[in-house]
Amino acid sequence: MKDQHILAKRLIPISLPSMGLEEWEALKEPIFSGWITQGPKVGEFEKLFAKRHNVKHALAVSNCTTALHLALVVLGIKQGDEVIVPAFTWVSTANAVEYCGATPVFCDVNIETFNIDIEQLKKKITSKTKAIIPVHLFGLCSDMDNVKAAAPGIPIVEDGACAAGSGYKGKPAGGLGDIGCFSFHPRKSITTGEGGMLTTNNDLLAEKLNMLRNHGASVSEEQRHHGPKPYILPDFNMVGYNYRMTDLQGALGIVQIKKLDAFIDERQKWADFYTNEFNSINWLRTPIVPKNFKHGWQSYVLIIDEKKSPMKRNNMMEYLQQQGISTRPGTHAVHMLEFYSKTYQIQPSDYPGAYSANEYSMSIPLHNKMKEEDFHYVVEQIKSIQ
Ligand SMILES: Cc1ncc(COP(=O)(O)O)c(C=O)c1O
């Protein structure tokens, strides 16, 4: 009886940032030094991020959406250009294309991996295709060798919003295309509140991205303040943006990036636990991890087979919410959102993989603040659905 009372009061959020005293301590230095805009903490975070992701350059920005925007700006994407994006992703993958006045061309996803469908990608390439944005959704890398083979010579921007620490054929995300973009939103495995990172091995792109994130200034504020003539403003030879990360966020990032691998290992352990437990349920499809892929487990996303399941997906989410378990659809089918469906006259059925993922996916809690009993409780509650 007592146990039941405790269970009824349990509330497991879909995600929680894993922060504590170390992050709290790390904030002291920028607060007391007074240097809180982009400065030494951001610089140190970038170095650690670049090292972990085995890339030459990492440039911190305000979030992954601004990272995607800058990636397209630096590649010269403009009106009349087409950029291929998966139809099942967060809306900002497509929005970044719109910011440039270019046309997002949707490509269906493979319902097994939730990532871009290679066969359809080949058919979507035209003479106007100026970039492709494969998304490493939920922390599983897109099949990058085949993306590249489908589009020789076309620049590739990895949307690795969910993929810090993920890997593909032994290589980390972020160095698999021309530019990588990451997010540190609190639903990601490491967080700085809001925040993003650009990665590249190309020196020229890095140099331009560095300026573009800071209004197009030829030197950073830190360089100017510590230089011989801090009172002289720099020159601006391009139209840039203020997409900088703050040093408060940088300080958090330094602590978080050091925990990334431990976070992923723990998530891997519990993802395996879920998969083992759920494999016996014939109306659930557990996430697939192809050989040679290292999943980052930003999210653990199930597919509900409504032909066999005792409840429809939305009723199941409602039921689990009542049991104190937060769930969400994996993400959304962007071609079904009003702006995109109206602007480009797209029907839901035009992208059947994305449509199914939109209707039948269910993300369940998997994060580093969960306790062993939370994972057992989630399994117990899902198994009890009949
Ligand atoms: C696939 C994908 N791309 C881009 C973004 C945007 O990231 P941010 O919130 O940092 O702008 C997200 C955020 O959830 C995402 O999941």
Side-chain angles (χ1 to χ4, degrees):
M1 231 9 228
K2 192 167 169 252
D3 275 349
Q4 262 180 357
H5 176 68
I6 293 165
L7 289 184
K9 287 185 84 175
R10 193 186 290 268
L11 214 150
I12 307 175
I14 190 70
S15 130
L16 258 189
S18 207
M19 289 190 169
L21 273 181
E22 282 171 283
E23 285 78 2
W24 174 252
E25 287 289 330
L27 289 171
K28 280 187 183 163
E29 203 182 314
I31 287 173
F32 289 113
S33 78
W35 193 282
I36 53 174
T37 187
Q38 184 193 314
K41 296 294 172 192
V42 166
E44 192 179 337
F45 178 33
E46 290 173 338
K47 278 203 190 89
L48 293 170
F49 196 89
K51 189 160 182 247
R52 171 60 186 82
H53 293 84
N54 202 18
V55 284
K56 242 171 131 179
H57 306 280
L59 296 118
V61 284
S62 46
N63 54 63
C64 184
T65 307
T66 53
L68 288 164
H69 183 201
L70 288 193
L72 297 180
V73 169
V74 83
L75 292 172
I77 303 302
K78 55 181 189 323
Q79 200 177 2
D81 294 342
E82 293 178 355
V83 177
I84 300 178
V85 299
F88 187 61
T89 178
W90 185 244
V91 66
S92 48
T93 318
N95 283 352
V97 182
E98 292 285 335
Y99 300 162
C100 297
T103 305
V105 172
F106 292 104
C107 179
D108 208 359
V109 295
N110 178 332
I111 187 72
E112 303 261 295
T113 60
F114 299 114
N115 283 332
I116 198 156
D117 181 85
I118 302 294
E119 289 314 307
Q120 189 166 103
L121 172 63
K122 291 179 192 163
K123 296 185 191 127
K124 292 276 174 171
I125 294 167
T126 72
S127 58
K128 291 184 180 171
T129 309
K130 293 294 175 320
I132 299 172
I133 314 184
V135 178
H136 305 323
L137 205 59
F138 312 134
L140 180 70
C141 286
S142 288
D143 184 357
M144 293 299 285
D145 281 351
N146 283 319
V147 169
K148 284 184 200 163
I154 298 176
I156 294 172
V157 175
E158 293 170 75
D159 181 339
C162 312
S166 300
Y168 174 78
K169 299 188 179 172
K171 292 187 204 143
L176 305 170
D178 296 276
I179 304 174
C181 302
F182 294 84
S183 172
F184 308 119
H185 177 274
R187 262 203 77 182
K188 308 301 184 268
S189 34
I190 57 168
T191 182
T192 56
E194 298 278 0
M197 192 70 82
L198 283 151
T199 54
T200 183
N201 286 311
N202 182 313
D203 297 341
L204 194 63
L205 291 180
E207 195 187 330
K208 286 190 187 162
L209 287 166
N210 189 23
M211 290 191 269
L212 280 168
R213 69 172 160 174
N214 183 28
H215 304 283
S218 51
V219 296
S220 75
E221 285 176 49
E222 194 192 2
Q223 285 164 329
R224 180 164 64 86
H225 279 251
H226 295 131
K229 294 185 179 174
Y231 48 87
I232 303 283
L233 293 181
D235 197 6
F236 297 79
N237 62 8
M238 61 176 78
V239 176
Y241 305 82
N242 179 355
Y243 284 173
R244 293 178 309 235
M245 175 182 269
T246 69
D247 247 26
L248 296 168
Q249 293 166 298
L252 296 176
I254 293 167
V255 181
Q256 289 270 293
I257 185 78
K258 291 177 186 163
K259 297 180 177 176
L260 175 63
D261 287 307
F263 284 168
I264 294 179
D265 287 350
E266 196 185 3
R267 285 168 184 241
Q268 178 68 58
K269 177 179 127 188
W270 290 111
D272 288 343
F273 170 74
Y274 274 157
T275 299
N276 279 336
E277 293 290 333
F278 294 143
N279 270 342
S280 57
I281 304 180
N282 73 346
W283 47 265
L284 269 187
R285 205 213 65 205
T286 52
I288 284 155
V289 187
K291 210 168 151 244
N292 283 333
F293 286 61
K294 179 179 163 60
H295 207 308
W297 295 113
Q298 179 263 337
S299 292
Y300 186 93
V301 181
L302 297 159
I303 287 278
I304 314 296
D305 180 351
E306 288 194 353
K307 289 196 197 91
K308 296 182 190 150
S309 60
M311 293 179 197
K312 291 200 178 302
R313 192 270 315 259
N314 288 355
N315 295 337
M316 203 176 292
M317 293 202 300
E318 170 80 35
Y319 170 79
L320 289 170
Q321 189 71 37
Q322 284 162 6
Q323 309 314 308
I325 299 170
S326 295
T327 62
R328 298 283 185 278
T331 183
H332 44 207
V334 180
H335 75 286
M336 290 166 65
L337 302 176
E338 186 180 336
F339 173 80
Y340 288 100
S341 67
K342 276 196 179 153
T343 307
Y344 298 104
Q345 301 287 303
I346 317 174
Q347 301 305 315
S349 58
D350 289 349
Y351 298 96
Y355 172 83
S356 295
N358 188 76
E359 299 298 299
Y360 307 123
S361 64
M362 183 172 82
S363 177
I364 61 172
L366 174 69
H367 55 81
N368 303 93
K369 283 277 184 179
M370 284 173 73
K371 297 194 172 67
E372 182 167 352
E373 61 259 35
D374 294 329
F375 290 102
H376 285 275
Y377 179 68
V378 171
V379 165
E380 207 177 281
Q381 290 303 314
I382 291 181
K383 281 188 167 173
S384 75
I385 295 172
Q386 30 199 307

